Amino acid sequence: MSTTLAPADLHARPADSTLVVDVRAPGEFASGHVPGAINVPAEHLDDLLPDLRAASQRRHIVVVCAAGQRSAAACAKLAEAGVEAVGLAGGTHAWSADGLPVHTADRPGRTVWAMDRQVRFTAGSLVLLGLALGRRTPKGRLLAAGVASGLVYSGVSNTCGMAAVLGKLPFNRPAPGVLESARAALRS
């Protein structure tokens, strides 16, 4: 069985036979997602495992993120728990690039940046801060070196510790009741 599904193949599937689970942060989900997708941030998969397991008995589960890395990790985690799921090849980036419809959620206030943009901004800011501090004291450059080494490790390991930390910020966490809504959607 394939571990990924092409965007066109997902789009062609009947909606009642497929459950799309988007594992991105709530702000990313709100900025644009596959129509009908349920938002279950990756760090909350464990909380909803029994419901995901039950839903997988009724429908095929397709896991979605921005580009495919987080959905692949989520699929592996679900497989360990006995839940059959496939990822969307290329994530919502590929879905949009194929010209398929994207749904955006109405969110009052400021739009939250996508996680990769938050990571780039934070990493860049920390490197600049380290270089500026390095003008006063050479030890300040260690901040820039630490961020650079973290980025190299992130590239080699295909993980992102900074995204995990940023994901815990209030604007990246689900609003109260969102997980209960996801649980109800999984049960229906």
Short mmCIF file of all heavy atoms in Angstrom, two decimals, residues 23-58:
data_model
loop_
_atom_site.label_atom_id
_atom_site.label_comp_id
_atom_site.label_asym_id
_atom_site.label_seq_id
_atom_site.Cartn_x
_atom_site.Cartn_y
_atom_site.Cartn_z
N VAL A 23 -2.74 18.16 10.23
CA VAL A 23 -1.97 18.14 11.48
C VAL A 23 -1.18 19.43 11.71
O VAL A 23 -0.32 19.48 12.59
CB VAL A 23 -1.04 16.92 11.54
CG1 VAL A 23 -1.83 15.63 11.60
CG2 VAL A 23 -0.05 16.90 10.37
N ARG A 24 -1.47 20.47 10.96
CA ARG A 24 -0.77 21.74 11.16
C ARG A 24 -1.32 22.50 12.36
O ARG A 24 -2.38 22.17 12.89
CB ARG A 24 -0.89 22.60 9.89
CG ARG A 24 -0.21 21.97 8.69
CD ARG A 24 -0.41 22.78 7.44
NE ARG A 24 -1.83 22.85 7.12
CZ ARG A 24 -2.38 23.80 6.37
NH1 ARG A 24 -1.64 24.76 5.87
NH2 ARG A 24 -3.67 23.78 6.11
N ALA A 25 -0.61 23.53 12.74
CA ALA A 25 -1.05 24.41 13.83
C ALA A 25 -2.35 25.09 13.40
O ALA A 25 -2.60 25.29 12.21
CB ALA A 25 0.02 25.44 14.15
N PRO A 26 -3.19 25.46 14.37
CA PRO A 26 -4.48 26.09 14.04
C PRO A 26 -4.38 27.32 13.14
O PRO A 26 -5.21 27.49 12.25
CB PRO A 26 -5.05 26.46 15.41
CG PRO A 26 -4.44 25.48 16.34
CD PRO A 26 -3.05 25.25 15.81
N GLY A 27 -3.38 28.15 13.34
CA GLY A 27 -3.22 29.32 12.48
C GLY A 27 -2.93 28.95 11.05
O GLY A 27 -3.45 29.57 10.12
N GLU A 28 -2.10 27.94 10.86
CA GLU A 28 -1.80 27.46 9.51
C GLU A 28 -3.06 26.88 8.87
O GLU A 28 -3.34 27.12 7.69
CB GLU A 28 -0.73 26.37 9.55
CG GLU A 28 0.64 26.85 9.97
CD GLU A 28 1.61 25.70 10.04
OE1 GLU A 28 1.58 24.96 11.04
OE2 GLU A 28 2.38 25.52 9.08
N PHE A 29 -3.80 26.09 9.64
CA PHE A 29 -5.04 25.49 9.15
C PHE A 29 -6.01 26.57 8.71
O PHE A 29 -6.61 26.48 7.64
CB PHE A 29 -5.64 24.62 10.25
CG PHE A 29 -6.94 23.96 9.88
CD1 PHE A 29 -6.95 22.83 9.09
CD2 PHE A 29 -8.15 24.46 10.35
CE1 PHE A 29 -8.16 22.20 8.75
CE2 PHE A 29 -9.36 23.85 10.02
CZ PHE A 29 -9.35 22.71 9.22
N ALA A 30 -6.15 27.62 9.52
CA ALA A 30 -7.08 28.70 9.22
C ALA A 30 -6.70 29.45 7.95
O ALA A 30 -7.56 29.94 7.22
CB ALA A 30 -7.17 29.67 10.39
N SER A 31 -5.40 29.49 7.65
CA SER A 31 -4.95 30.25 6.48
C SER A 31 -5.26 29.54 5.16
O SER A 31 -5.19 30.16 4.11
CB SER A 31 -3.46 30.55 6.58
OG SER A 31 -2.70 29.38 6.46
N GLY A 32 -5.60 28.27 5.21
CA GLY A 32 -6.00 27.55 4.00
C GLY A 32 -5.80 26.06 4.15
O GLY A 32 -4.73 25.62 4.53
N HIS A 33 -6.87 25.31 3.90
CA HIS A 33 -6.82 23.85 4.05
C HIS A 33 -7.72 23.17 3.02
O HIS A 33 -8.54 23.80 2.38
CB HIS A 33 -7.20 23.43 5.48
CG HIS A 33 -8.55 23.93 5.90
ND1 HIS A 33 -8.73 25.13 6.53
CD2 HIS A 33 -9.78 23.40 5.76
CE1 HIS A 33 -10.01 25.32 6.78
NE2 HIS A 33 -10.67 24.28 6.31
N VAL A 34 -7.52 21.86 2.91
CA VAL A 34 -8.35 21.04 2.03
C VAL A 34 -9.79 21.13 2.54
O VAL A 34 -10.03 20.94 3.75
CB VAL A 34 -7.86 19.58 2.04
CG1 VAL A 34 -8.80 18.68 1.26
CG2 VAL A 34 -6.43 19.49 1.50
N PRO A 35 -10.75 21.42 1.68
CA PRO A 35 -12.14 21.51 2.14
C PRO A 35 -12.58 20.22 2.85
O PRO A 35 -12.28 19.11 2.40
CB PRO A 35 -12.93 21.70 0.84
CG PRO A 35 -11.95 22.36 -0.09
CD PRO A 35 -10.62 21.73 0.25
N GLY A 36 -13.25 20.39 3.98
CA GLY A 36 -13.74 19.26 4.75
C GLY A 36 -12.73 18.68 5.72
O GLY A 36 -13.05 17.76 6.47
N ALA A 37 -11.50 19.19 5.72
CA ALA A 37 -10.47 18.67 6.62
C ALA A 37 -10.79 19.01 8.08
O ALA A 37 -11.41 20.02 8.37
CB ALA A 37 -9.10 19.24 6.25
N ILE A 38 -10.34 18.12 8.96
CA ILE A 38 -10.46 18.32 10.40
C ILE A 38 -9.08 18.68 10.92
O ILE A 38 -8.10 18.02 10.59
CB ILE A 38 -10.95 17.04 11.10
CG1 ILE A 38 -12.33 16.66 10.59
CG2 ILE A 38 -10.94 17.19 12.60
CD1 ILE A 38 -12.77 15.28 11.04
N ASN A 39 -8.99 19.73 11.74
CA ASN A 39 -7.70 20.14 12.29
C ASN A 39 -7.41 19.41 13.59
O ASN A 39 -8.12 19.57 14.57
CB ASN A 39 -7.69 21.65 12.51
CG ASN A 39 -6.35 22.20 12.95
OD1 ASN A 39 -6.28 23.13 13.71
ND2 ASN A 39 -5.26 21.65 12.44
N VAL A 40 -6.38 18.57 13.56
CA VAL A 40 -5.87 17.89 14.74
C VAL A 40 -4.37 18.14 14.77
O VAL A 40 -3.61 17.41 14.11
CB VAL A 40 -6.16 16.37 14.72
CG1 VAL A 40 -5.61 15.71 15.97
CG2 VAL A 40 -7.65 16.09 14.57
N PRO A 41 -3.92 19.22 15.45
CA PRO A 41 -2.49 19.52 15.47
C PRO A 41 -1.68 18.29 15.88
O PRO A 41 -2.11 17.51 16.74
CB PRO A 41 -2.37 20.64 16.49
CG PRO A 41 -3.72 21.31 16.45
CD PRO A 41 -4.70 20.19 16.22
N ALA A 42 -0.52 18.11 15.25
CA ALA A 42 0.30 16.91 15.44
C ALA A 42 0.55 16.59 16.91
O ALA A 42 0.53 15.43 17.31
CB ALA A 42 1.62 17.06 14.70
N GLU A 43 0.75 17.62 17.72
CA GLU A 43 1.04 17.37 19.14
C GLU A 43 -0.18 16.89 19.92
O GLU A 43 -0.06 16.48 21.06
CB GLU A 43 1.65 18.61 19.80
CG GLU A 43 0.75 19.82 19.85
CD GLU A 43 0.86 20.71 18.62
OE1 GLU A 43 1.44 20.30 17.60
OE2 GLU A 43 0.33 21.84 18.69
N HIS A 44 -1.35 16.88 19.29
CA HIS A 44 -2.57 16.41 19.95
C HIS A 44 -3.09 15.09 19.39
O HIS A 44 -4.18 14.65 19.75
CB HIS A 44 -3.66 17.48 19.88
CG HIS A 44 -3.32 18.72 20.64
ND1 HIS A 44 -3.36 18.78 22.00
CD2 HIS A 44 -2.89 19.92 20.22
CE1 HIS A 44 -2.99 19.98 22.40
NE2 HIS A 44 -2.69 20.69 21.33
N LEU A 45 -2.33 14.46 18.50
CA LEU A 45 -2.76 13.18 17.93
C LEU A 45 -3.00 12.14 19.02
O LEU A 45 -3.99 11.39 18.96
CB LEU A 45 -1.72 12.64 16.95
CG LEU A 45 -1.74 13.22 15.54
CD1 LEU A 45 -0.58 12.67 14.73
CD2 LEU A 45 -3.05 12.95 14.85
N ASP A 46 -2.11 12.08 20.01
CA ASP A 46 -2.26 11.09 21.09
C ASP A 46 -3.60 11.26 21.81
O ASP A 46 -4.22 10.28 22.21
CB ASP A 46 -1.12 11.20 22.09
CG ASP A 46 0.20 10.70 21.52
OD1 ASP A 46 0.16 9.86 20.60
OD2 ASP A 46 1.25 11.15 21.99
N ASP A 47 -4.03 12.53 21.99
CA ASP A 47 -5.29 12.80 22.69
C ASP A 47 -6.49 12.22 21.96
O ASP A 47 -7.50 11.89 22.59
CB ASP A 47 -5.50 14.31 22.86
CG ASP A 47 -4.38 14.99 23.64
OD1 ASP A 47 -3.73 14.30 24.45
OD2 ASP A 47 -4.17 16.20 23.44
N LEU A 48 -6.39 12.13 20.64
CA LEU A 48 -7.54 11.69 19.83
C LEU A 48 -7.34 10.31 19.20
O LEU A 48 -8.11 9.92 18.32
CB LEU A 48 -7.85 12.73 18.75
CG LEU A 48 -8.24 14.11 19.27
CD1 LEU A 48 -8.42 15.09 18.13
CD2 LEU A 48 -9.51 14.04 20.10
N LEU A 49 -6.32 9.57 19.63
CA LEU A 49 -6.04 8.26 19.04
C LEU A 49 -7.23 7.30 19.06
O LEU A 49 -7.52 6.67 18.03
CB LEU A 49 -4.84 7.60 19.71
CG LEU A 49 -3.50 7.84 19.03
CD1 LEU A 49 -2.37 7.21 19.81
CD2 LEU A 49 -3.51 7.38 17.60
N PRO A 50 -7.94 7.16 20.18
CA PRO A 50 -9.09 6.23 20.14
C PRO A 50 -10.13 6.63 19.09
O PRO A 50 -10.67 5.77 18.40
CB PRO A 50 -9.67 6.32 21.56
CG PRO A 50 -8.54 6.84 22.40
CD PRO A 50 -7.73 7.71 21.51
N ASP A 51 -10.36 7.93 18.95
CA ASP A 51 -11.35 8.40 17.97
C ASP A 51 -10.83 8.22 16.55
O ASP A 51 -11.58 7.89 15.64
CB ASP A 51 -11.69 9.86 18.25
CG ASP A 51 -12.29 10.04 19.63
OD1 ASP A 51 -13.36 9.47 19.88
OD2 ASP A 51 -11.67 10.72 20.46
N LEU A 52 -9.53 8.46 16.34
CA LEU A 52 -8.94 8.24 15.02
C LEU A 52 -8.97 6.76 14.65
O LEU A 52 -9.26 6.41 13.50
CB LEU A 52 -7.50 8.76 14.99
CG LEU A 52 -7.36 10.28 14.95
CD1 LEU A 52 -5.97 10.71 15.39
CD2 LEU A 52 -7.68 10.81 13.56
N ARG A 53 -8.71 5.90 15.61
CA ARG A 53 -8.75 4.45 15.36
C ARG A 53 -10.16 4.03 14.94
O ARG A 53 -10.34 3.29 13.97
CB ARG A 53 -8.32 3.69 16.62
CG ARG A 53 -8.14 2.20 16.39
CD ARG A 53 -7.60 1.48 17.62
NE ARG A 53 -6.22 1.88 17.90
CZ ARG A 53 -5.84 2.61 18.95
NH1 ARG A 53 -6.71 2.99 19.85
NH2 ARG A 53 -4.57 2.93 19.13
N ALA A 54 -11.16 4.52 15.67
CA ALA A 54 -12.55 4.18 15.34
C ALA A 54 -12.94 4.75 13.96
O ALA A 54 -13.59 4.07 13.17
CB ALA A 54 -13.49 4.71 16.41
N ALA A 55 -12.51 5.97 13.68
CA ALA A 55 -12.84 6.59 12.39
C ALA A 55 -12.18 5.84 11.23
O ALA A 55 -12.76 5.74 10.16
CB ALA A 55 -12.39 8.05 12.39
N SER A 56 -10.98 5.30 11.47
CA SER A 56 -10.29 4.57 10.40
C SER A 56 -11.00 3.27 10.03
O SER A 56 -10.76 2.72 8.95
CB SER A 56 -8.83 4.28 10.80
OG SER A 56 -8.76 3.27 11.78
N GLN A 57 -11.88 2.78 10.90
CA GLN A 57 -12.66 1.58 10.59
C GLN A 57 -13.80 1.90 9.62
O GLN A 57 -14.29 1.02 8.92
CB GLN A 57 -13.24 0.97 11.88
CG GLN A 57 -12.19 0.59 12.90
CD GLN A 57 -11.19 -0.42 12.37
OE1 GLN A 57 -11.56 -1.40 11.73
NE2 GLN A 57 -9.92 -0.17 12.60
N ARG A 58 -14.21 3.18 9.60
CA ARG A 58 -15.33 3.59 8.76
C ARG A 58 -14.91 4.28 7.46
O ARG A 58 -15.61 4.24 6.47
CB ARG A 58 -16.24 4.55 9.54
CG ARG A 58 -16.87 3.95 10.77
CD ARG A 58 -17.85 4.90 11.45
NE ARG A 58 -17.34 6.24 11.70
CZ ARG A 58 -16.62 6.59 12.77
NH1 ARG A 58 -16.31 5.69 13.68
NH2 ARG A 58 -16.22 7.83 12.93
#
